[in-house]
Amino acid sequence: MSTNHHKRLIITSGEPAGIGPDLCLMLANDSFPVQLVVAADPELLSHRARQLKLNVNLKTFNPDDHQPAQVGELIVAPLSLSKPCTPGQPDPANGQYVLDMLSYAAQGCMNGLFDGMVTGPVHKEVINNAGVPFTGHTEFLAEQTHTRKVVMMLATKGLRVALATTHLPLRDVADAITPESLEAVIRILDKDLKNKFGIAEPEVLVCGLNPHAGEGGHLGTEEIEVMIPVLDKLRQEGMNLKGPLPADTLFNPNYLESADAVLAMYHDQGLPVLKFKGFGKAVNITLGLPLVRTSVDHGTALDLAGSGKASPDSLLTAIDYALQAVKG
């Protein structure tokens, strides 16, 4: 990690034809207590800045200089596009460019060049059309860091939601929640809330899988057969776990005011609530990695690229959470 008192975050600008480069350029409007380094093609940023009518001084990244950029400046770690880019028109020829910036950022975090990474939005279809199998940031970074198990958590002001399973068809969810997988997810969540967010004794609310948390076995037995034994075991170790609780009543102030995170059993159980509460000002956080990684909660918004209408709020939130984690 950085030895200077200024932390350093690497920001990947994502799909070059999307709003990622626009959002990165908007960072030059503010000052930060941390050095932000944007991985991108400088020519792309220069061209997009002219389109957006932004006067931004692009400075080439110097690893020996830890000073944060001044207002009006953007520090850039240069990578080269394979082909010139037109806003709103993604080209598979630049798919490898996107992966190269992710690899650069991950390796930089692993070797201590950066204290954490913040990822801009990518276009999975474009990368796959380039002939590179790609399911998402999370899986790619797990492979890059040789991490066997990671946990997806989204956060906004006043709410963190982690997932026991992620992108699975609903019919496969119950079979995917095994005692081993559930225990592994809870251990990662508890550890990272402590180590990356500085919460000494995190309280986690655990959603039941079934309606009414199974209603004593009348609406499903997963709570009784899988979840309760795991929760009891981890409580014996001192973890502060509440549940399994009915998901339809868990998300209310009586429960949430003292909780540090909610663990949902599947994607659409927990994330609709979080996105309703904070869409546009939420952040995606990958737990379990040997590095800090946060991300925006939106896509590439190809129709907004180069228009000046994109909002940097989610990127700013992702930077804030990354900074919290590297200080944690």
Side-chain angles (χ1 to χ4, degrees):
M1 296 299 177
S2 302
T3 55
N4 189 279
H5 67 281
H6 290 300
K7 296 289 186 178
R8 177 188 283 158
L9 300 179
I10 178 71
I11 301 174
T12 60
S13 53
E15 165 56 49
I19 61 171
D22 306 39
L23 302 181
C24 291
L25 286 164
M26 293 177 191
L27 296 175
N29 293 330
D30 298 302
S31 61
F32 297 87
V34 56
Q35 186 182 75
L36 304 181
V37 179
V38 174
D41 187 316
E43 289 297 321
L44 166 68
L45 293 178
S46 180
H47 184 264
R48 194 69 58 87
R50 289 194 295 273
Q51 286 185 298
L52 296 171
K53 296 181 171 57
L54 295 175
N55 185 18
V56 180
N57 178 27
L58 303 180
K59 296 180 60 178
T60 301
F61 172 52
N62 176 3
D64 296 325
D65 181 1
H66 288 261
Q67 291 301 312
Q70 302 297 308
V71 173
E73 294 179 344
L74 195 67
I75 301 172
V76 181
L79 294 101
S80 296
L81 286 167
S82 297
K83 290 181 65 176
C85 174
T86 300
Q89 299 180 26
D91 190 328
N94 288 320
Q96 189 61 48
Y97 161 83
V98 175
L99 296 181
D100 287 346
M101 73 172 73
L102 291 174
S103 297
Y104 172 79
Q107 294 307 310
C109 289
M110 294 289 285
N111 65 28
L113 183 61
F114 306 112
D115 295 286
M117 64 185 294
V118 179
T119 55
V122 299
H123 201 299
K124 296 178 187 178
E125 181 182 352
V126 174
I127 298 172
N128 281 285
N129 287 344
V132 183
F134 181 81
T135 55
H137 278 108
T138 302
E139 296 82 0
F140 183 83
L141 293 173
E143 181 179 346
Q144 286 281 305
T145 58
H146 308 290
T147 304
R148 293 184 60 186
K149 181 71 174 177
V150 294
V151 174
M152 179 178 175
M153 182 173 80
L154 270 74
T156 191
K157 185 176 181 181
L159 182 62
R160 300 182 183 95
V161 177
L163 300 178
T165 63
T166 51
H167 301 111
L168 288 178
L170 194 54
R171 67 172 61 250
D172 295 338
V173 169
D175 289 340
I177 300 173
T178 65
E180 295 77 16
S181 70
L182 183 61
E183 180 177 338
V185 167
I186 294 174
R187 287 190 183 280
I188 290 170
L189 177 58
D190 181 76
K191 179 181 178 181
D192 275 12
L193 287 173
K194 290 175 178 174
N195 295 344
K196 293 182 178 177
F197 293 93
I199 303 171
E201 297 181 4
E203 177 180 307
V204 176
L205 307 181
V206 181
C207 296
L209 172 65
N210 297 295
H212 303 177
E215 205 163 273
H218 295 287
L219 289 176
T221 60
E222 286 83 3
E223 286 79 8
I224 294 171
E225 295 174 356
V226 176
M227 300 183 67
I228 291 174
V230 171
L231 297 181
D232 285 345
K233 173 185 176 180
L234 297 178
R235 288 189 191 105
Q236 295 269 333
E237 297 181 15
M239 293 189 194
N240 188 0
L241 306 170
K242 303 291 176 64
L245 298 167
D248 65 337
T249 56
L250 180 157
F251 290 97
N252 71 70
N254 290 335
Y255 283 117
L256 294 177
E257 62 185 1
S258 64
D260 297 296
V262 173
L263 177 61
M265 292 300 103
Y266 55 93
H267 187 280
D268 283 11
Q269 184 182 57
L271 296 193
V273 180
L274 184 133
K275 292 193 175 186
F276 177 78
K277 178 178 174 62
F279 188 78
K281 294 188 178 180
V283 56
N284 188 336
I285 305 165
T286 305
L287 306 179
L289 293 172
L291 54 84
V292 170
R293 180 258 171 166
T294 67
S295 181
V296 295
D297 72 341
H298 56 72
T300 54
L302 297 172
D303 57 322
L304 297 180
S307 70
K309 296 179 180 179
S311 169
D313 285 348
S314 183
L315 179 58
L316 293 171
T317 304
I319 290 169
D320 183 58
Y321 270 89
L323 189 54
Q324 291 179 42
V326 300
K327 288 182 175 179

